[in-house]
Amino acid sequence: MRLAVTDRCNLRCFYCMPEDGLNWLSRAELMSYEEMLRASALLVKMGIEKIRITGGEPFVRKDIMKLLTNLSKLDGLKELSMTTNGVLTAPYVAEMKALGIRSVNLSLDTLDANRFFTITHRDEFANVMHTLDELLKHNIEVKINAVVMDGKNTQDILPMVELTKNMPVSVRFIEEMPFNGDEHSYQGVKWDYVRILNEIEGHYPEIKKLVDPAYSTAYNYQIPGHKGTIGIIAAYSRTFCGTCNRIRITPQGTLKNCLYDDGVLNIKDLMRSGINDAELEKHLVKAFSHRAADGWEAERLRVEKTGVHESMATIGG
Ligand code: SAM
Ligand code: SF4
């Protein structure tokens, strides 16, 4: 389960939201930590084993460590992890490790400070690199998420592969998706997983395919002799829908069965209506059974209603 704790963010990655931000959710529209904990406890009881905290940027929500501490105590939860942009994360790494967080997805699209500014509209590259250092120092498994964007950072593909030579990280190249908060500016996917792989294979013909873990959304590879690995995520091409087992809860409490659907149930509203857990569980089971066949069907059903112009910050990635 991906739980997005806020839509707010301290970066403005152009592929995720407009430069002047979003129409931020009010406090009342956001799920409270108590509501998140209640929903999470029930979903863990129903069989969810892994929770990934995301957003917006999780560390811009006040007291995020309190939520993580309480989630880490949930009976039956096998894995708690996070996706973060790394701007504010470094001072919390030791505490995260102490809570049992073993894996963090760090979003980093370039190894060049100027390109970082062009992509994110903020001068925070040094802080993100400091977070990367801290995570590695604390032996937390790091997956670096890099969205591949034509004309913006394709020159970073090979240097990021080279990063895996001495660093035990998994660098994951992600196809750009149409969730930038502005339905007109998405140019389509110019760098799909095949093109990304061709680029890497052209320079590293010795690259080896690894066995992908069950339910993995990434195709995984390694350059022989390198400490780290490489993943390619066909997030736009949607080649993995058949084995996808993710559910998502947005900051306003909407349950999504797919990144591309427009929400199948509002858990927050149900909880605020005074429903008990047994009734809520029935609603959840019914909602899970209404999963679209794949991301294409989910998008088609949604486009008929609203069109895809959401920001990834209100979905959680
Ligand atoms: N702020 C945190 C971060 O950036 O890591 C967590 C939330 S962010 C929405 C989660 C992930 O979604 C990030 O790795 C980001 O690169 C990815 N993402 C955002 N917009 C995207 C898009 N249009 N296409 C592909 N990935 C996107
Ligand atoms: Fe913020 Fe993450 Fe979206 Fe970038 S991708 S604007 S860091 S929420």
Side-chain angles (χ1 to χ4, degrees):
M1 172 172 115
R2 311 279 170 97
L3 177 61
V5 297
T6 179
D7 56 337
R8 294 178 193 238
C9 191
N10 44 4
L11 296 184
R12 291 289 182 275
C13 307
F14 78 91
Y15 53 78
C16 179
M17 63 171 77
E19 198 174 346
D20 51 359
L22 302 169
N23 208 352
W24 307 119
L25 295 167
S26 68
R27 202 182 170 76
E29 287 170 299
L30 277 180
M31 280 224 282
S32 68
Y33 284 159
E34 289 72 24
E35 288 163 342
M36 288 181 193
L37 198 61
R38 178 180 164 195
S40 300
L42 177 60
L43 283 156
V44 168
K45 205 189 95 203
M46 291 170 70
I48 292 289
E49 296 181 336
K50 298 184 188 176
I51 298 180
R52 173 174 296 283
I53 300 303
T54 176
E57 173 50 35
F59 285 97
V60 304
R61 183 144 179 191
K62 201 166 160 247
D63 294 332
I64 185 66
M65 293 310 290
K66 278 192 191 155
L67 176 72
L68 292 179
T69 305
N70 286 325
L71 288 174
S72 73
K73 292 180 191 153
L74 284 181
D75 234 9
L77 183 66
K78 295 197 178 139
E79 198 177 314
L80 180 62
S81 57
M82 297 191 83
T83 301
T84 173
N85 63 26
V87 172
L88 299 170
T89 318
Y92 299 98
V93 170
E95 215 181 319
M96 286 157 67
K97 174 85 181 177
L99 288 181
I101 294 180
R102 295 192 305 265
S103 155
V104 167
N105 287 7
L106 182 67
S107 300
L108 177 64
D109 305 311
T110 175
L111 298 175
D112 176 89
N114 291 327
R115 277 199 292 282
F116 182 94
F117 184 81
T118 307
I119 292 168
T120 66
H121 300 116
R122 298 288 185 273
D123 189 13
E124 298 285 0
F125 179 71
N127 283 328
V128 181
M129 293 310 279
H130 178 47
T131 291
L132 175 58
D133 276 352
E134 284 296 299
L135 290 168
L136 292 174
K137 242 189 253 162
H138 286 81
N139 283 323
I140 293 184
E141 183 192 316
V142 180
K143 292 180 183 157
I144 296 180
N145 284 352
V147 180
V148 181
M149 296 155 286
D150 197 49
K152 291 284 197 299
N153 67 342
T154 52
Q155 62 275 63
D156 282 290
I157 296 176
L158 298 177
M160 291 187 95
V161 170
E162 203 50 30
L163 206 62
T164 67
K165 187 171 186 179
N166 296 314
M167 243 184 219
V169 293
S170 170
V171 173
R172 290 134 42 100
F173 297 105
I174 305 177
E175 289 178 354
E176 187 181 351
M177 293 179 267
F179 299 114
N180 59 14
D182 168 10
E183 64 185 312
H184 302 298
S185 63
Y186 180 65
Q187 302 291 317
V189 70
K190 301 224 171 78
W191 283 77
D192 67 0
Y193 69 107
V194 177
R195 189 170 177 195
I196 297 168
L197 181 59
N198 283 344
E199 171 79 4
I200 302 172
E201 275 177 340
H203 289 78
Y204 299 93
E206 70 278 29
I207 189 171
K208 289 264 170 322
K209 178 82 189 71
L210 300 174
V211 176
D212 299 322
Y215 311 113
S216 171
T217 52
Y219 299 121
N220 295 284
Y221 300 86
Q222 190 165 34
I223 314 291
H226 282 206
K227 287 190 180 154
T229 60
I230 298 152
I232 305 180
I233 303 183
Y236 182 79
S237 303
R238 286 161 259 187
T239 53
F240 46 69
C241 299
T243 55
C244 173
N245 63 354
R246 273 74 167 162
I247 59 165
R248 294 180 161 79
I249 298 182
T250 71
Q252 60 273 56
T254 305
L255 175 75
K256 280 175 178 273
N257 280 330
C258 171
L259 255 179
Y260 288 85
D261 75 32
D262 62 349
V264 286
L265 186 72
N266 193 297
I267 299 180
K268 178 194 70 192
D269 292 349
L270 281 174
M271 288 192 290
R272 289 185 188 175
S273 74
I275 198 170
N276 65 31
D277 276 5
E279 287 164 347
L280 182 55
E281 183 169 342
K282 279 189 208 149
H283 282 279
L284 287 165
V285 170
K286 191 164 163 219
F288 294 146
S289 69
H290 288 139
R291 205 175 175 103
D294 57 27
W296 297 102
E297 182 180 293
E299 182 177 10
R300 202 166 48 246
L301 293 172
R302 162 205 185 103
V303 166
E304 280 164 15
K305 283 192 254 168
T306 58
V308 174
H309 53 258
E310 229 176 324
S311 158
M312 191 65 94
T314 59
I315 304 176

